[in-house]
Every structure is written in structure tokens, then in C-alpha cells.
Amino acid sequence: KTVAVDLPSGVDGNAHTVAEFAIKADLTVTFFRCKVAHVLMPAKALCGEVALHQIGLDESHLSSDDYPCELNISELWRGELRPPSTYDHKYTRGHVLVRGGGADATGAARLSAQSALHCGAGVVTLSCPTNAIPVYAAHLTAVMINAHDDVNDFNGKLLDERVNTVALGPGNGVGDLTKQFVLASLDSGKRCVLDADALSSFADDAQIFFAALSSCKETAVLTPHHGEFRSLFSELAAKPHLSRLHLALAAAKECQAVVVFKGNDTVIASPDGRSRINNSAPPWLATAGSGDVLTGVISAMRAMGMSAFDAASAGVWLHANAANQLTFPMTAEQLCVQVQHSVSSLCQSVT
């Protein structure tokens, strides 16, 4: 059995990278606090079981003050969850507007919309092309459906003051029309959660996108996986010496949005330099549609009033928690329903 002290040999504790000669430990014993490398890939995979032993110090951060990073645990943000009050009605619980794709690509937006509703948003409206309404209507009940064929139609809905959060990207298609919807949403001042095609559409116009994000009244949340991150932040992604944490922090600062860099070790980075690493996601969360569910969960948290950074942190944690409850094998449809139980349990603990 190979036992490492602090970190396996060959793991850089500052850069969070591994050398070619790095060893793989069965057990890593560390002291005082876990380090970023214990929970961030690829070093995480070399640590094996991590045993933390206290030596009389008191510190919850994973890292130094140079980059304040925390393990994403519910105690950090659960106080911002707002269970329904006697005085609430559906619109005070938050109204999420989800943009859906055409008739041949409805599943992703439906998962986002249903997840937002399951996680506590009072109202969810799905915007889609007119010819796609029959498909959406056949699968959705409590989610309202509006036809918006172009950005002018969509702008009309953005003028509705009851809509406070917009979720765009899943199933929208990559292209100019999606760009227009994204820029209109950012310009409206709504809380925006942007994923998938909403990010990929700006691969060749990143600076235009970043400028819109920087000038947006509300801090947006971006949820790229590795491929989407590489296409949107191509210059950063070309720097192999940067870890996922450093990449996410640099990206958040560059675009002035909260960046959720998805993966087994999802990093949530804020433009103000704060970061959290989620270490609870099971491998079976890597399934088609799970990212669309996450978009809906984060959107619900934003709609209910959580800050962008905490909403992203809560969404990632709840998403992983629901997946752990389901176990393998799991589908995104099941996750969409199960995450409701995670939210319910957490809300009961703060009432």
C-alpha cells in the first residue's frame, strides 16, 4: 500500500498540476486543512483516500489568501435559501424565462424548465419558435409556453417585470439568432444563466460577449464544460500550466461573470476572486442532459434571490446531491425530479 504525506510526490501543490513521474497513492494523509490539489483533477486521482488530521489550528479554506478557495459545502450558502413564506405568491418566488430550440431539439430546454420549477421557482415560462409549440405543449403542463420567433418578439417578454431570470443555451442551436437572444437578455438587466449553445455561439465573438457580460446590471452565471470553455476562452485554455481552478478564476475575471467550470471537480469562480470546488459529484452524473438540469437548478436559485456566486454553488451542490441519491445508472429525467427532494430537505433544515 502506498501512503503519501501531504501530497503524493510529483504533485505541485501551488499549480495543482502533476509531473510525469508523479506517484499514485492509495492513502494520502494531510494536516490542518485539505489542499486544492486533494480535490482538483488530475491531482485528485492520484491521492486515493484522503485522511485529514487536525493539529490544533482552525481554518476552513482550501488555500491561502492569494486565491480564497473553499470546499463547496451547504453551510456556506444554505442561509440564503428562502423557503416560502405566508405572504408569498408565485411571482414573488421568482419567474424564470427559458429559451427553447426548434421542434427537433426540445429536450434540453424542457429539462432546464422543469428543473427550475421543481427547485422552487414560482413561475417558469418557456420561449420557443411557433412551429415548436405542439412538441413542447405535449410534454409540459405547469410550465407556460410562449412563441417568440425572433429577438423582437423575445424582447417583448423581457419587458415583463415579473420575469427576473433568463436561462439560455440548452438546445438553442449555435448561430446568430442565439447570439441575439443572449445579448438582448443581458441588455435587459435580468439575471442570466448561460450554458451550451449560448456560450458556443460566441466562440468567434468572445470580446463582444465579454463586453455585454461586463455591462450587465446583474452578474451572469456561465456553466461551460471543458469543450465549451476551450472554445470561449481559447487563449486561456492554450496555457497548459494553468489548473482548472486558475483557468476558472482567470475566465471569471476576464468576462466579469461567475464561471461554473463543470467536471468531476466542478469549480465555481467569481470575478471578485472567490472560488469553490465541488467534491461530491458521482461519476454517473456524466450523462446526457445532466448539464441542462443544472442550468435549471441554478436559474431557480437566482430567481429566488440568491447571489450569482451562491446560486451557482447551491445549484452545483444540489445537482450532485440528487445524483448521489439516485445512484448508477441514472438519467437526466430522473435527476430533474430527484433534485426537488434535495432542495426540500435543505429548506426544511433552515426553517
Side-chain angles (χ1 to χ4, degrees):
K1 190 171 185 178
T2 303
V3 179
V5 177
D6 194 32
L7 287 169
S9 297
V11 173
D12 187 324
N14 293 317
H16 322 133
T17 54
V18 300
E20 291 184 7
F21 58 81
I23 67 168
K24 187 178 189 307
D26 299 297
L27 171 67
T28 297
V29 181
T30 191
F31 309 95
F32 173 32
R33 63 186 178 194
C34 283
K35 316 306 188 287
V36 169
H38 291 133
V39 296
L40 194 71
M41 294 291 285
K44 173 184 175 182
L46 299 179
C47 291
E49 179 187 352
V50 177
L52 174 64
H53 293 272
Q54 293 303 326
I55 52 176
L57 301 175
D58 182 20
E59 176 62 66
S60 61
H61 286 180
L62 288 168
S63 56
S64 69
D65 292 334
D66 293 336
Y67 41 86
C69 181
E70 301 167 303
L71 194 63
N72 186 31
I73 56 176
S74 63
E75 286 76 12
L76 295 174
W77 41 260
R78 68 196 303 170
E80 282 203 44
L81 281 173
R82 188 171 65 86
S85 76
T86 306
Y87 302 99
D88 270 327
H89 56 77
K90 61 186 179 182
Y91 288 109
T92 61
R93 295 297 304 157
H95 185 174
V96 177
L97 175 63
V98 178
R99 176 62 189 176
D104 60 342
T106 66
R110 285 191 280 116
L111 285 169
S112 296
Q114 289 174 311
S115 297
L117 198 60
H118 287 158
C119 288
V123 183
V124 177
T125 298
L126 196 145
S127 160
C128 67
T130 300
N131 62 8
I133 283 183
V135 182
Y136 284 107
H139 293 88
L140 299 172
T141 48
V143 174
M144 298 188 292
I145 305 169
N146 286 175
H148 302 120
D149 291 305
D150 57 37
V151 72
N152 290 327
D153 291 340
F154 191 67
N155 268 322
K157 187 63 179 177
L158 291 174
L159 292 174
D160 186 342
E161 294 183 355
R162 298 173 299 181
V163 174
N164 66 356
T165 304
V166 186
L168 298 103
N172 287 184
V174 175
D176 288 339
L177 187 59
T178 296
K179 286 183 187 178
Q180 293 174 33
F181 283 119
V182 171
L183 294 175
S185 299
L186 292 172
D187 187 58
S188 73
K190 307 292 186 183
R191 303 163 186 168
C192 294
V193 181
L194 308 175
D195 181 34
D197 296 339
L199 307 178
S200 298
S201 291
F202 288 94
D204 296 325
D205 290 311
Q207 294 309 312
I208 292 175
F209 183 42
F210 297 165
L213 288 166
S214 297
S215 60
C216 185
K217 179 181 177 182
E218 293 277 358
T219 302
V221 178
L222 315 187
T223 62
H225 57 50
H226 181 74
E228 291 156 354
F229 188 97
R230 187 175 60 243
S231 67
L232 188 59
F233 300 99
S234 55
E235 292 185 11
L236 284 174
K239 299 178 179 180
H241 62 284
L242 294 180
S243 72
R244 285 169 49 79
L245 173 60
H246 291 113
L247 286 170
L249 283 167
K253 184 177 181 180
E254 181 175 8
C255 70
Q256 288 299 295
V258 170
V259 173
V260 178
F261 196 178
K262 295 185 292 193
N264 173 268
D265 52 349
T266 293
V267 179
I268 305 106
S270 172
D272 63 11
R274 291 177 295 159
S275 61
R276 290 169 182 159
I277 299 175
N278 200 80
N279 195 37
S280 60
W284 51 89
L285 195 49
T287 185
S290 66
D292 306 319
V293 174
L294 178 61
T295 297
V297 181
I298 296 174
S299 297
M301 299 298 109
R302 283 294 275 142
M304 292 189 288
M306 294 184 79
S307 67
F309 185 56
D310 283 334
S313 301
V316 170
W317 187 93
L318 290 163
H319 189 244
N321 182 261
N324 278 309
Q325 292 171 0
L326 284 170
T327 73
F328 180 79
M330 175 204 78
T331 67
E333 289 90 344
Q334 294 170 314
L335 184 64
C336 179
V337 175
Q338 185 64 37
V339 73
Q340 178 178 0
H341 299 293
S342 293
V343 175
S344 177
S345 296
L346 210 56
C347 283
Q348 288 177 25
S349 72
V350 299
T351 54

